[in-house]
Amino acid sequence: MKVVIAEKPDQGSALASVFKHKKQNGFIEIFPNDIFPEGAYVTWAIGHICQLVPPEKYQPEWKKWTLDNLPMIPEQFSYEVSKDKANQFAAIKKLISNPQVTEIIHAGDAGREGELIIRNILRLTNCKKPMKRLWISSLTPNSIRAGFKKLLEENETRNLYFEAYTRACADWIVGMNASRLYSLLLQKHGFSDVFSVGRVQTPTLALIVKREWEIENFKVEPFWEVEAHFAVNGKKYKGKWQDDGETRIKTKELAEKIAAFCRDKPAEVNDVISERKEFFPPQLFNLSSLQAEVNKRFKFSPKKTLDVLQQLYQKGNVSYPRSDSRYVTKEEANSFPDILNKLSHLSDFESYFPLPVASISENKRYVNEKKVTDHYAIIPTEQIPNLQKLSSDERKIYELIVKSLIAAHYPKSIAEYTTVTSLVDGRAAFISKGKVQLEEGWRKVLNQKEQDDAPALPQLLKGEQGTTKKVDVREGQTQPPKRYTEGQLITLMKTAGKHIDDKELEKILAKTEGLGTEATRAGIITMLKDRLYIEVKKNLVYATAKAKILIEAVGGEILASPEMTAKWEQKLKEISEGAASPKTFMDQTKKMVHHLIDACAGQSEQWNFSKEVSENFTPGKQRGKKKTAAKLGPCKKCDGFIVDKGSFFGCSNYQKNHCDFTISKKILGKNITQKMVKQLLTDGKTDFIEGFIGKERNFNARLCLDLKENKIKFLFE
């Protein structure tokens, strides 16, 4: 008999579903068949059923948060079973211990984490029985059967386990020590909270905070542009005045002078440059690119996309979700005609058939054995679902994956971009840009909104003459850098190498694909939200005061730099390839933590935090304590008090009487501090505030409280 251990219950059910079977408590019995002549048992973990033990399990005194206990470095790391998963662990152990069971089949997810989860179970059960590895990229009946027929030997994936185990232990050392270190030191500065620090989450947070500071420190400057309306041989078009490629004018007076000079003057087409551009279809999706695209189209968080994708994978409708490759093998490409033929009979896709390109099996843009890592790109499987039975979210993601495969069988899209230079009165140059779509190609399948969408221009010839019918002066202002969306955060983590000055390290980070892995990036972003470091409003990411405080404290330490991640990821990859020693890696990690503790202890007295950040800091939930929010002043609608509610200021009586009196934490680009709120509630107005960002220009004003309407208004002086 053999025991098959899957990573999750649904996967266990999927693996057993292709055989005649009977469900039991905590496992499924498979009856004898051609693959398992003696039958088998299929059981499952519940994700990370085992976890690294907390500090106090190594040394009781480590339970107390004190600088004297740092660094906490166990001589030998230990795992324990999560209390809420003990019953399932007992069921697995009972099956493994059965004398009739002679072999274990490791059927965890085909990746690092799956390797760690199942092997940890085998370690804790003290299993000495031989093991083989099921390694498949989809849960269709054909893939499951084929996978069981060509199981890998235990030693073929052993180094992946060493990498995952080393990664987990190193992250424990960094996380446990650095989190306590910064929490305790920041407490001395009056910030009483738990400041979680991690090898991947902290450099990611540093990039977000850096963008926040760029936005806050950006100085808005006004500019003016001159736009002319031309009539040439009965053809009408518009153009912007430009000088040496620059269209923005620094003063209104100069802009008005240029406009006055150009009005009713003769105009001539001085130059026409047309350029054809070809756009190949997008590559197939890996997890990061799919998360970014779904966020852009549907505003799903990266975690939601991964969760929905996992559901589709467990139903057998798509291939393995946590893939980091955008390529497939020739073997997979040869299965596409059959998959596409089935899809062509669905009403949602039939308009895209017949396909312009019959096969992509020879196209290296999609088919490249060398660029397929542990898994190939995310593609639909031959198990086509009934679209009506999918949930709305499942359907959106499934259709996008299908369309990416269909689009790969379409030709390139071709557009012509035209730049026209017009001269007014032989002196003032105006530039006009236009675009004409010549061949739609793959855009028929995957509509992608382009940032360079330009209006179509009439057919213009060099030397044509006409008149300047109308000239307008338009005022604008420079814009700060845009906030990241959640989808852009995924891309930012993947391409963090672009933020590194050292070219060699940049190559390493590009090779190891940035901060975190395909499987962990969504979890890191969720963790940053849960730990109140970031807020996501209308899909835009804001760094909180808590985040700014931590990154200010971490400063130039290696802990906040993508460089550190580059070096770590390189070594971890070498461990998975059998080219580096886990012990050496752990020794380096321990040295880094020792250095961090020594350096921070000396530097912390010089830490200096701005008044605005300090006033906006809201402590999170304390360990074992319930903190009462500070009263900032009386509510103007009821007998309650206004308190800091995290993302806004609101009434303490909301639970009691649903009082909806609130004050936003940001008004026209300015952070509203607790001090300002206190002034509003006691004096009715704030001090003078500079730099509100209006639609047309910036302005300065006080904020005042209109008691009749219970609204915040501007008071100009």
Side-chain angles (χ1 to χ4, degrees), residues 147-213:
F148 277 125
K149 284 178 182 174
K150 52 177 185 181
L151 295 168
L152 302 179
E153 294 299 322
E154 178 274 334
N155 62 355
E156 291 183 70
T157 59
R158 192 187 299 157
N159 285 330
L160 266 183
Y161 163 70
F162 289 149
E163 182 202 343
Y165 179 72
T166 307
R167 181 186 292 270
C169 296
D171 284 351
W172 189 99
I173 288 178
V174 173
M176 288 293 178
N177 285 286
S179 297
R180 292 191 179 197
L181 174 68
Y182 282 101
S183 297
L184 291 165
L185 291 175
L186 285 167
Q187 203 172 66
K188 293 179 179 180
H189 285 263
F191 304 115
S192 185
D193 203 348
V194 176
F195 286 84
S196 169
V197 176
R199 182 182 62 85
V200 178
Q201 64 162 310
T202 304
T204 302
L205 185 61
L207 292 171
I208 298 168
V209 170
K210 183 185 174 192
R211 174 56 58 92
E212 194 78 34
W213 284 335

Side-chain angles (χ1 to χ4, degrees), residues 225-229 238 255-256 259 263 430 470-474:
E225 291 181 323
V226 177
E227 185 179 73
H229 297 244
K238 291 187 283 189
E256 294 284 12
R263 285 189 181 102
F430 285 77
K470 183 183 173 190
V471 185
D472 298 316
V473 173
R474 300 188 184 280

